[in-house]
Amino acid sequence: MINDASKERVIIVGASLAGSMAALALGKAGVPVTLIDKERFPRRKPCGEGLSARGQAELAAAGCSLGALGCSHTKLAGYRIFKGKRSLLIPERSGLVGVPRVELDQSLLEQAAQFSSTRIMLGQKAVIHELEGGRCVVRVGDIEERGSALVIADGSASPTLRSLGMSITTPRSPRLGTSSAWRLTRGTLDPYVHTFLVPGGEVYLTPLADGRFNCSVLGSQDLVQRFVHDRALSLHVEEISDTLGIAISREYPFLSCGAINTLYRGATCRGAFVIGDACETFDPCAGFGMTHALMTGRLVGECVLEALGRSDPRTALVRYKRDREAQVRDVRGFTRITATTMGSRIGRMSLPFLVASGLAGTVSESVHSPNHASLARRLVSLVGASVVPRAGTS
Ligand SMILES: Cc1cc2nc3c(=O)[nH]c(=O)nc-3n(C[C@H](O)[C@H](O)[C@H](O)COP(=O)(O)OP(=O)(O)OC[C@H]3O[C@@H](n4cnc5c(N)ncnc54)[C@H](O)[C@@H]3O)c2cc1C
């Protein structure tokens, strides 16, 4: 039996965007928090580093705008999609920016760490020892942390959910992802996410400040492994450099990563709250992952507060599930369209039609803007995509 000595302490596993955002919200409300991550920060993680206007609004509402955090960022005007030498332009006017994760994650964690009642434990895995209606005992090395609520924010592989018996299925045709940091040594990169359609997937260049840019690769295992292991990398670099008239050099190697289109697992698990990628992944080509992490981090802060004030925390869990679902419903439909478009041959062939009809631009803006939910819903029904959530466990 877990005793009540730890009443009110909240344990958060994972100190990336979702976990830090939740810790910040709870710390501000005076709730003691233990925030645990297996990595030491600053650290790199695979990401395309395109942050939507909606994600920026979440940060600003928490008093952590990119400016206030001191994070370098670059405004982006949309997407340029290349197939060989031909290209299509998809404008995105809602305010997408490129922001280095190594800076953003570190700065947000620092904000979360500012409260005296917040305990930060880095460089060690959290292992759930007991979990009973949300109250828990978590082992971090030799230390045992006891909490009256547990928030699982440990990313798409979520070892915590696996250890709790939640099955995490891999999709039938998994898409994988990787990313690395590059620098321009000659020429400039226009303020667009440059997307190269290559056999097996896509290569994305996201401009960052000071001539740096992110290069991420999404697609088949074969394509992603070629980048991770530097096989035939020079051929891709040559093609990209020739097409854009630039010279580039790599700053750190490609980081490997698992399947990126795993979709919904569940917003709660045995009385614990599940947030960010641990709860649901969105194909990164739609750029909603960071936004979802920030959004669920903020939302879970509100719901955990509600749970702590009650003898029965179930209503707060139900509210979290319901409110999160309402906020992702439209976007989920769109990310499916975007991922399907980019990830299939037929979809790629339909890109010129989508662009010519103005749909592609509207689709991309709807995903990234905070104000396009109803428009998004109409468009989703127009193109016939399902907005009904896939069955998940919770
Ligand atoms: C190749 C690629 C490109 C992407 N591009 C974009 C993009 O351009 N725009 C966008 O918005 N999103 C993008 N995403 C998605 C985005 O990176 C994720 O949605 C986002 O990082 C999710 O944040 P999170 O906090 O939920 O989880 P994560 O950022 O994955 O963090 C999970 C944290 O949990 C920690 N952890 C794991 N296990 C344990 C444990 N047992 N104990 C303690 N700590 C643990 C990890 O160390 C990690 O810090 C991309 C993803 C990939 C893979």
Side-chain angles (χ1 to χ4, degrees), residues 19-56:
S20 288
M21 192 70 162
L24 179 62
L26 291 163
K28 269 188 189 160
V31 175
V33 170
T34 301
L35 180 60
I36 309 159
D37 203 290
K38 66 180 170 57
E39 303 289 338
R40 295 191 183 281
F41 286 57
R43 60 93 172 86
R44 301 196 180 272
K45 84 151 297 284
C47 187
E49 308 190 320
L51 180 63
S52 72
R54 199 159 161 173
Q56 292 164 64

PDB file of all heavy atoms in Angstrom, residues 19-56:
ATOM      1  N   GLY A  19       6.652  17.382 -20.513  1.00  0.00           N
ATOM      2  CA  GLY A  19       6.895  17.260 -19.070  1.00  0.00           C
ATOM      3  C   GLY A  19       7.237  18.599 -18.439  1.00  0.00           C
ATOM      4  O   GLY A  19       6.728  18.939 -17.364  1.00  0.00           O
ATOM      5  N   SER A  20       8.092  19.386 -19.098  1.00  0.00           N
ATOM      6  CA  SER A  20       8.489  20.679 -18.523  1.00  0.00           C
ATOM      7  C   SER A  20       7.312  21.638 -18.479  1.00  0.00           C
ATOM      8  O   SER A  20       7.151  22.408 -17.533  1.00  0.00           O
ATOM      9  CB  SER A  20       9.627  21.312 -19.334  1.00  0.00           C
ATOM     10  OG  SER A  20      10.815  20.594 -19.115  1.00  0.00           O
ATOM     11  N   MET A  21       6.478  21.599 -19.525  1.00  0.00           N
ATOM     12  CA  MET A  21       5.304  22.486 -19.551  1.00  0.00           C
ATOM     13  C   MET A  21       4.366  22.137 -18.387  1.00  0.00           C
ATOM     14  O   MET A  21       3.842  23.027 -17.717  1.00  0.00           O
ATOM     15  CB  MET A  21       4.592  22.317 -20.898  1.00  0.00           C
ATOM     16  CG  MET A  21       3.546  23.347 -21.170  1.00  0.00           C
ATOM     17  SD  MET A  21       4.312  24.956 -21.456  1.00  0.00           S
ATOM     18  CE  MET A  21       2.959  25.782 -22.262  1.00  0.00           C
ATOM     19  N   ALA A  22       4.164  20.836 -18.142  1.00  0.00           N
ATOM     20  CA  ALA A  22       3.299  20.403 -17.036  1.00  0.00           C
ATOM     21  C   ALA A  22       3.903  20.827 -15.698  1.00  0.00           C
ATOM     22  O   ALA A  22       3.214  21.344 -14.813  1.00  0.00           O
ATOM     23  CB  ALA A  22       3.111  18.889 -17.083  1.00  0.00           C
ATOM     24  N   ALA A  23       5.231  20.642 -15.560  1.00  0.00           N
ATOM     25  CA  ALA A  23       5.907  21.000 -14.303  1.00  0.00           C
ATOM     26  C   ALA A  23       5.808  22.504 -14.055  1.00  0.00           C
ATOM     27  O   ALA A  23       5.624  22.945 -12.914  1.00  0.00           O
ATOM     28  CB  ALA A  23       7.373  20.570 -14.363  1.00  0.00           C
ATOM     29  N   LEU A  24       5.910  23.285 -15.122  1.00  0.00           N
ATOM     30  CA  LEU A  24       5.818  24.740 -15.003  1.00  0.00           C
ATOM     31  C   LEU A  24       4.425  25.139 -14.494  1.00  0.00           C
ATOM     32  O   LEU A  24       4.300  25.944 -13.565  1.00  0.00           O
ATOM     33  CB  LEU A  24       6.099  25.363 -16.386  1.00  0.00           C
ATOM     34  CG  LEU A  24       6.036  26.870 -16.511  1.00  0.00           C
ATOM     35  CD1 LEU A  24       7.080  27.533 -15.616  1.00  0.00           C
ATOM     36  CD2 LEU A  24       6.283  27.296 -17.972  1.00  0.00           C
ATOM     37  N   ALA A  25       3.393  24.560 -15.108  1.00  0.00           N
ATOM     38  CA  ALA A  25       2.018  24.905 -14.718  1.00  0.00           C
ATOM     39  C   ALA A  25       1.776  24.545 -13.247  1.00  0.00           C
ATOM     40  O   ALA A  25       1.188  25.326 -12.501  1.00  0.00           O
ATOM     41  CB  ALA A  25       1.031  24.174 -15.614  1.00  0.00           C
ATOM     42  N   LEU A  26       2.251  23.380 -12.829  1.00  0.00           N
ATOM     43  CA  LEU A  26       2.018  22.935 -11.454  1.00  0.00           C
ATOM     44  C   LEU A  26       2.875  23.713 -10.459  1.00  0.00           C
ATOM     45  O   LEU A  26       2.424  24.084  -9.377  1.00  0.00           O
ATOM     46  CB  LEU A  26       2.285  21.429 -11.342  1.00  0.00           C
ATOM     47  CG  LEU A  26       1.247  20.570 -12.071  1.00  0.00           C
ATOM     48  CD1 LEU A  26       1.756  19.150 -12.287  1.00  0.00           C
ATOM     49  CD2 LEU A  26      -0.073  20.558 -11.293  1.00  0.00           C
ATOM     50  N   GLY A  27       4.129  23.976 -10.859  1.00  0.00           N
ATOM     51  CA  GLY A  27       5.026  24.750  -9.991  1.00  0.00           C
ATOM     52  C   GLY A  27       4.452  26.127  -9.705  1.00  0.00           C
ATOM     53  O   GLY A  27       4.470  26.618  -8.571  1.00  0.00           O
ATOM     54  N   LYS A  28       3.892  26.751 -10.736  1.00  0.00           N
ATOM     55  CA  LYS A  28       3.285  28.086 -10.580  1.00  0.00           C
ATOM     56  C   LYS A  28       2.136  28.063  -9.588  1.00  0.00           C
ATOM     57  O   LYS A  28       1.895  29.035  -8.887  1.00  0.00           O
ATOM     58  CB  LYS A  28       2.711  28.539 -11.936  1.00  0.00           C
ATOM     59  CG  LYS A  28       3.681  29.325 -12.772  1.00  0.00           C
ATOM     60  CD  LYS A  28       2.942  29.869 -13.975  1.00  0.00           C
ATOM     61  CE  LYS A  28       3.942  30.469 -14.941  1.00  0.00           C
ATOM     62  NZ  LYS A  28       3.399  30.586 -16.283  1.00  0.00           N
ATOM     63  N   ALA A  29       1.420  26.940  -9.553  1.00  0.00           N
ATOM     64  CA  ALA A  29       0.273  26.823  -8.642  1.00  0.00           C
ATOM     65  C   ALA A  29       0.719  26.381  -7.250  1.00  0.00           C
ATOM     66  O   ALA A  29      -0.109  26.115  -6.379  1.00  0.00           O
ATOM     67  CB  ALA A  29      -0.724  25.830  -9.218  1.00  0.00           C
ATOM     68  N   GLY A  30       2.030  26.261  -7.039  1.00  0.00           N
ATOM     69  CA  GLY A  30       2.551  25.926  -5.711  1.00  0.00           C
ATOM     70  C   GLY A  30       2.552  24.438  -5.397  1.00  0.00           C
ATOM     71  O   GLY A  30       2.714  24.040  -4.247  1.00  0.00           O
ATOM     72  N   VAL A  31       2.351  23.604  -6.412  1.00  0.00           N
ATOM     73  CA  VAL A  31       2.323  22.149  -6.168  1.00  0.00           C
ATOM     74  C   VAL A  31       3.755  21.595  -6.226  1.00  0.00           C
ATOM     75  O   VAL A  31       4.483  21.864  -7.170  1.00  0.00           O
ATOM     76  CB  VAL A  31       1.461  21.446  -7.249  1.00  0.00           C
ATOM     77  CG1 VAL A  31       1.506  19.938  -7.085  1.00  0.00           C
ATOM     78  CG2 VAL A  31       0.037  21.962  -7.216  1.00  0.00           C
ATOM     79  N   PRO A  32       4.181  20.810  -5.228  1.00  0.00           N
ATOM     80  CA  PRO A  32       5.513  20.185  -5.296  1.00  0.00           C
ATOM     81  C   PRO A  32       5.571  19.170  -6.441  1.00  0.00           C
ATOM     82  O   PRO A  32       4.659  18.345  -6.580  1.00  0.00           O
ATOM     83  CB  PRO A  32       5.656  19.484  -3.949  1.00  0.00           C
ATOM     84  CG  PRO A  32       4.623  20.084  -3.071  1.00  0.00           C
ATOM     85  CD  PRO A  32       3.504  20.514  -3.965  1.00  0.00           C
ATOM     86  N   VAL A  33       6.616  19.257  -7.233  1.00  0.00           N
ATOM     87  CA  VAL A  33       6.741  18.414  -8.422  1.00  0.00           C
ATOM     88  C   VAL A  33       8.109  17.748  -8.424  1.00  0.00           C
ATOM     89  O   VAL A  33       9.099  18.360  -8.029  1.00  0.00           O
ATOM     90  CB  VAL A  33       6.619  19.296  -9.700  1.00  0.00           C
ATOM     91  CG1 VAL A  33       6.993  18.516 -10.945  1.00  0.00           C
ATOM     92  CG2 VAL A  33       5.210  19.863  -9.841  1.00  0.00           C
ATOM     93  N   THR A  34       8.165  16.483  -8.864  1.00  0.00           N
ATOM     94  CA  THR A  34       9.459  15.863  -9.174  1.00  0.00           C
ATOM     95  C   THR A  34       9.467  15.596 -10.671  1.00  0.00           C
ATOM     96  O   THR A  34       8.581  14.901 -11.179  1.00  0.00           O
ATOM     97  CB  THR A  34       9.654  14.534  -8.413  1.00  0.00           C
ATOM     98  OG1 THR A  34       9.573  14.797  -7.013  1.00  0.00           O
ATOM     99  CG2 THR A  34      11.011  13.923  -8.728  1.00  0.00           C
ATOM    100  N   LEU A  35      10.436  16.189 -11.365  1.00  0.00           N
ATOM    101  CA  LEU A  35      10.521  16.074 -12.830  1.00  0.00           C
ATOM    102  C   LEU A  35      11.776  15.264 -13.142  1.00  0.00           C
ATOM    103  O   LEU A  35      12.888  15.655 -12.778  1.00  0.00           O
ATOM    104  CB  LEU A  35      10.591  17.485 -13.428  1.00  0.00           C
ATOM    105  CG  LEU A  35      10.683  17.635 -14.947  1.00  0.00           C
ATOM    106  CD1 LEU A  35       9.473  17.012 -15.633  1.00  0.00           C
ATOM    107  CD2 LEU A  35      10.762  19.120 -15.328  1.00  0.00           C
ATOM    108  N   ILE A  36      11.565  14.123 -13.819  1.00  0.00           N
ATOM    109  CA  ILE A  36      12.676  13.175 -14.011  1.00  0.00           C
ATOM    110  C   ILE A  36      12.955  12.980 -15.493  1.00  0.00           C
ATOM    111  O   ILE A  36      12.024  12.810 -16.285  1.00  0.00           O
ATOM    112  CB  ILE A  36      12.309  11.789 -13.410  1.00  0.00           C
ATOM    113  CG1 ILE A  36      11.805  11.947 -11.970  1.00  0.00           C
ATOM    114  CG2 ILE A  36      13.486  10.824 -13.472  1.00  0.00           C
ATOM    115  CD1 ILE A  36      10.953  10.761 -11.489  1.00  0.00           C
ATOM    116  N   ASP A  37      14.232  12.970 -15.885  1.00  0.00           N
ATOM    117  CA  ASP A  37      14.566  12.598 -17.272  1.00  0.00           C
ATOM    118  C   ASP A  37      15.820  11.749 -17.284  1.00  0.00           C
ATOM    119  O   ASP A  37      16.748  11.978 -16.509  1.00  0.00           O
ATOM    120  CB  ASP A  37      14.757  13.832 -18.155  1.00  0.00           C
ATOM    121  CG  ASP A  37      14.539  13.486 -19.628  1.00  0.00           C
ATOM    122  OD1 ASP A  37      15.388  12.769 -20.215  1.00  0.00           O
ATOM    123  OD2 ASP A  37      13.515  13.905 -20.192  1.00  0.00           O
ATOM    124  N   LYS A  38      15.859  10.787 -18.187  1.00  0.00           N
ATOM    125  CA  LYS A  38      17.017   9.888 -18.252  1.00  0.00           C
ATOM    126  C   LYS A  38      18.223  10.597 -18.867  1.00  0.00           C
ATOM    127  O   LYS A  38      19.350  10.143 -18.700  1.00  0.00           O
ATOM    128  CB  LYS A  38      16.685   8.610 -19.006  1.00  0.00           C
ATOM    129  CG  LYS A  38      16.368   8.762 -20.478  1.00  0.00           C
ATOM    130  CD  LYS A  38      16.072   7.402 -21.068  1.00  0.00           C
ATOM    131  CE  LYS A  38      15.509   7.435 -22.470  1.00  0.00           C
ATOM    132  NZ  LYS A  38      16.276   8.094 -23.487  1.00  0.00           N
ATOM    133  N   GLU A  39      17.982  11.698 -19.578  1.00  0.00           N
ATOM    134  CA  GLU A  39      19.092  12.438 -20.205  1.00  0.00           C
ATOM    135  C   GLU A  39      19.506  13.612 -19.329  1.00  0.00           C
ATOM    136  O   GLU A  39      18.724  14.099 -18.520  1.00  0.00           O
ATOM    137  CB  GLU A  39      18.653  13.011 -21.566  1.00  0.00           C
ATOM    138  CG  GLU A  39      18.135  12.001 -22.554  1.00  0.00           C
ATOM    139  CD  GLU A  39      19.219  11.099 -23.107  1.00  0.00           C
ATOM    140  OE1 GLU A  39      20.398  11.498 -23.065  1.00  0.00           O
ATOM    141  OE2 GLU A  39      18.898   9.989 -23.561  1.00  0.00           O
ATOM    142  N   ARG A  40      20.745  14.095 -19.582  1.00  0.00           N
ATOM    143  CA  ARG A  40      21.162  15.363 -18.991  1.00  0.00           C
ATOM    144  C   ARG A  40      20.961  16.442 -20.041  1.00  0.00           C
ATOM    145  O   ARG A  40      21.162  16.183 -21.217  1.00  0.00           O
ATOM    146  CB  ARG A  40      22.637  15.306 -18.579  1.00  0.00           C
ATOM    147  CG  ARG A  40      22.857  14.314 -17.475  1.00  0.00           C
ATOM    148  CD  ARG A  40      24.250  14.430 -16.870  1.00  0.00           C
ATOM    149  NE  ARG A  40      24.419  13.392 -15.861  1.00  0.00           N
ATOM    150  CZ  ARG A  40      23.929  13.459 -14.633  1.00  0.00           C
ATOM    151  NH1 ARG A  40      23.272  14.526 -14.234  1.00  0.00           N
ATOM    152  NH2 ARG A  40      24.114  12.458 -13.777  1.00  0.00           N
ATOM    153  N   PHE A  41      20.558  17.631 -19.618  1.00  0.00           N
ATOM    154  CA  PHE A  41      20.282  18.708 -20.568  1.00  0.00           C
ATOM    155  C   PHE A  41      21.414  19.729 -20.518  1.00  0.00           C
ATOM    156  O   PHE A  41      22.023  19.884 -19.479  1.00  0.00           O
ATOM    157  CB  PHE A  41      18.951  19.399 -20.223  1.00  0.00           C
ATOM    158  CG  PHE A  41      17.737  18.569 -20.579  1.00  0.00           C
ATOM    159  CD1 PHE A  41      17.565  17.289 -20.066  1.00  0.00           C
ATOM    160  CD2 PHE A  41      16.770  19.068 -21.425  1.00  0.00           C
ATOM    161  CE1 PHE A  41      16.448  16.521 -20.396  1.00  0.00           C
ATOM    162  CE2 PHE A  41      15.657  18.315 -21.760  1.00  0.00           C
ATOM    163  CZ  PHE A  41      15.498  17.045 -21.239  1.00  0.00           C
ATOM    164  N   PRO A  42      21.690  20.481 -21.596  1.00  0.00           N
ATOM    165  CA  PRO A  42      21.041  20.421 -22.906  1.00  0.00           C
ATOM    166  C   PRO A  42      21.363  19.126 -23.635  1.00  0.00           C
ATOM    167  O   PRO A  42      22.455  18.597 -23.503  1.00  0.00           O
ATOM    168  CB  PRO A  42      21.629  21.627 -23.647  1.00  0.00           C
ATOM    169  CG  PRO A  42      22.898  21.948 -22.942  1.00  0.00           C
ATOM    170  CD  PRO A  42      22.766  21.487 -21.548  1.00  0.00           C
ATOM    171  N   ARG A  43      20.357  18.631 -24.377  1.00  0.00           N
ATOM    172  CA  ARG A  43      20.548  17.402 -25.143  1.00  0.00           C
ATOM    173  C   ARG A  43      19.846  17.554 -26.503  1.00  0.00           C
ATOM    174  O   ARG A  43      18.944  18.355 -26.659  1.00  0.00           O
ATOM    175  CB  ARG A  43      19.999  16.195 -24.378  1.00  0.00           C
ATOM    176  CG  ARG A  43      18.501  16.249 -24.059  1.00  0.00           C
ATOM    177  CD  ARG A  43      17.665  15.571 -25.108  1.00  0.00           C
ATOM    178  NE  ARG A  43      16.265  15.428 -24.789  1.00  0.00           N
ATOM    179  CZ  ARG A  43      15.341  16.330 -25.015  1.00  0.00           C
ATOM    180  NH1 ARG A  43      15.663  17.498 -25.533  1.00  0.00           N
ATOM    181  NH2 ARG A  43      14.053  16.107 -24.744  1.00  0.00           N
ATOM    182  N   ARG A  44      20.290  16.746 -27.454  1.00  0.00           N
ATOM    183  CA  ARG A  44      19.667  16.789 -28.775  1.00  0.00           C
ATOM    184  C   ARG A  44      18.646  15.677 -28.866  1.00  0.00           C
ATOM    185  O   ARG A  44      18.824  14.620 -28.282  1.00  0.00           O
ATOM    186  CB  ARG A  44      20.722  16.609 -29.869  1.00  0.00           C
ATOM    187  CG  ARG A  44      21.796  17.672 -29.831  1.00  0.00           C
ATOM    188  CD  ARG A  44      22.586  17.702 -31.107  1.00  0.00           C
ATOM    189  NE  ARG A  44      23.610  18.738 -31.056  1.00  0.00           N
ATOM    190  CZ  ARG A  44      23.410  20.000 -31.412  1.00  0.00           C
ATOM    191  NH1 ARG A  44      22.228  20.386 -31.857  1.00  0.00           N
ATOM    192  NH2 ARG A  44      24.381  20.886 -31.338  1.00  0.00           N
ATOM    193  N   LYS A  45      17.577  15.936 -29.603  1.00  0.00           N
ATOM    194  CA  LYS A  45      16.609  14.865 -29.879  1.00  0.00           C
ATOM    195  C   LYS A  45      16.129  15.003 -31.317  1.00  0.00           C
ATOM    196  O   LYS A  45      16.088  16.117 -31.842  1.00  0.00           O
ATOM    197  CB  LYS A  45      15.455  14.896 -28.874  1.00  0.00           C
ATOM    198  CG  LYS A  45      14.364  15.845 -29.204  1.00  0.00           C
ATOM    199  CD  LYS A  45      13.007  15.417 -28.684  1.00  0.00           C
ATOM    200  CE  LYS A  45      12.390  14.168 -29.189  1.00  0.00           C
ATOM    201  NZ  LYS A  45      11.802  14.144 -30.513  1.00  0.00           N
ATOM    202  N   PRO A  46      15.779  13.889 -31.970  1.00  0.00           N
ATOM    203  CA  PRO A  46      15.353  13.994 -33.363  1.00  0.00           C
ATOM    204  C   PRO A  46      14.092  14.853 -33.490  1.00  0.00           C
ATOM    205  O   PRO A  46      13.107  14.591 -32.816  1.00  0.00           O
ATOM    206  CB  PRO A  46      15.045  12.545 -33.767  1.00  0.00           C
ATOM    207  CG  PRO A  46      15.577  11.686 -32.692  1.00  0.00           C
ATOM    208  CD  PRO A  46      15.708  12.512 -31.459  1.00  0.00           C
ATOM    209  N   CYS A  47      14.159  15.875 -34.310  1.00  0.00           N
ATOM    210  CA  CYS A  47      13.005  16.754 -34.521  1.00  0.00           C
ATOM    211  C   CYS A  47      13.293  17.647 -35.729  1.00  0.00           C
ATOM    212  O   CYS A  47      14.447  18.016 -35.955  1.00  0.00           O
ATOM    213  CB  CYS A  47      12.758  17.624 -33.279  1.00  0.00           C
ATOM    214  SG  CYS A  47      11.241  18.591 -33.399  1.00  0.00           S
ATOM    215  N   GLY A  48      12.248  18.006 -36.479  1.00  0.00           N
ATOM    216  CA  GLY A  48      12.415  18.897 -37.631  1.00  0.00           C
ATOM    217  C   GLY A  48      12.478  20.355 -37.220  1.00  0.00           C
ATOM    218  O   GLY A  48      12.779  21.229 -38.031  1.00  0.00           O
ATOM    219  N   GLU A  49      12.115  20.688 -35.963  1.00  0.00           N
ATOM    220  CA  GLU A  49      12.281  22.008 -35.361  1.00  0.00           C
ATOM    221  C   GLU A  49      11.410  23.095 -35.976  1.00  0.00           C
ATOM    222  O   GLU A  49      11.732  24.277 -35.918  1.00  0.00           O
ATOM    223  CB  GLU A  49      13.772  22.378 -35.330  1.00  0.00           C
ATOM    224  CG  GLU A  49      14.592  21.266 -34.672  1.00  0.00           C
ATOM    225  CD  GLU A  49      16.042  21.606 -34.367  1.00  0.00           C
ATOM    226  OE1 GLU A  49      16.656  22.258 -35.216  1.00  0.00           O
ATOM    227  OE2 GLU A  49      16.521  21.212 -33.290  1.00  0.00           O
ATOM    228  N   GLY A  50      10.283  22.678 -36.598  1.00  0.00           N
ATOM    229  CA  GLY A  50       9.307  23.663 -37.077  1.00  0.00           C
ATOM    230  C   GLY A  50       8.199  23.790 -36.033  1.00  0.00           C
ATOM    231  O   GLY A  50       7.483  22.835 -35.764  1.00  0.00           O
ATOM    232  N   LEU A  51       8.074  24.975 -35.411  1.00  0.00           N
ATOM    233  CA  LEU A  51       7.082  25.165 -34.344  1.00  0.00           C
ATOM    234  C   LEU A  51       5.926  26.018 -34.858  1.00  0.00           C
ATOM    235  O   LEU A  51       6.133  27.126 -35.359  1.00  0.00           O
ATOM    236  CB  LEU A  51       7.739  25.835 -33.117  1.00  0.00           C
ATOM    237  CG  LEU A  51       6.808  26.097 -31.927  1.00  0.00           C
ATOM    238  CD1 LEU A  51       6.253  24.798 -31.350  1.00  0.00           C
ATOM    239  CD2 LEU A  51       7.532  26.883 -30.840  1.00  0.00           C
ATOM    240  N   SER A  52       4.700  25.522 -34.715  1.00  0.00           N
ATOM    241  CA  SER A  52       3.514  26.194 -35.246  1.00  0.00           C
ATOM    242  C   SER A  52       3.164  27.437 -34.427  1.00  0.00           C
ATOM    243  O   SER A  52       3.596  27.605 -33.280  1.00  0.00           O
ATOM    244  CB  SER A  52       2.333  25.230 -35.202  1.00  0.00           C
ATOM    245  OG  SER A  52       1.916  25.049 -33.872  1.00  0.00           O
ATOM    246  N   ALA A  53       2.290  28.277 -35.017  1.00  0.00           N
ATOM    247  CA  ALA A  53       1.796  29.462 -34.309  1.00  0.00           C
ATOM    248  C   ALA A  53       1.045  29.033 -33.049  1.00  0.00           C
ATOM    249  O   ALA A  53       1.123  29.680 -32.005  1.00  0.00           O
ATOM    250  CB  ALA A  53       0.870  30.244 -35.226  1.00  0.00           C
ATOM    251  N   ARG A  54       0.342  27.931 -33.182  1.00  0.00           N
ATOM    252  CA  ARG A  54      -0.421  27.407 -32.045  1.00  0.00           C
ATOM    253  C   ARG A  54       0.515  27.026 -30.894  1.00  0.00           C
ATOM    254  O   ARG A  54       0.234  27.263 -29.724  1.00  0.00           O
ATOM    255  CB  ARG A  54      -1.188  26.194 -32.536  1.00  0.00           C
ATOM    256  CG  ARG A  54      -2.324  25.776 -31.714  1.00  0.00           C
ATOM    257  CD  ARG A  54      -3.229  24.938 -32.592  1.00  0.00           C
ATOM    258  NE  ARG A  54      -4.127  24.129 -31.823  1.00  0.00           N
ATOM    259  CZ  ARG A  54      -5.105  23.416 -32.357  1.00  0.00           C
ATOM    260  NH1 ARG A  54      -5.294  23.435 -33.655  1.00  0.00           N
ATOM    261  NH2 ARG A  54      -5.903  22.695 -31.615  1.00  0.00           N
ATOM    262  N   GLY A  55       1.639  26.413 -31.228  1.00  0.00           N
ATOM    263  CA  GLY A  55       2.627  26.045 -30.213  1.00  0.00           C
ATOM    264  C   GLY A  55       3.240  27.283 -29.572  1.00  0.00           C
ATOM    265  O   GLY A  55       3.434  27.338 -28.345  1.00  0.00           O
ATOM    266  N   GLN A  56       3.515  28.297 -30.401  1.00  0.00           N
ATOM    267  CA  GLN A  56       4.078  29.533 -29.853  1.00  0.00           C
ATOM    268  C   GLN A  56       3.080  30.203 -28.913  1.00  0.00           C
ATOM    269  O   GLN A  56       3.452  30.786 -27.894  1.00  0.00           O
ATOM    270  CB  GLN A  56       4.429  30.488 -30.992  1.00  0.00           C
ATOM    271  CG  GLN A  56       5.586  29.996 -31.856  1.00  0.00           C
ATOM    272  CD  GLN A  56       5.635  30.750 -33.172  1.00  0.00           C
ATOM    273  OE1 GLN A  56       5.851  31.944 -33.209  1.00  0.00           O
ATOM    274  NE2 GLN A  56       5.412  30.030 -34.269  1.00  0.00           N
TER     275      GLN A  56
END
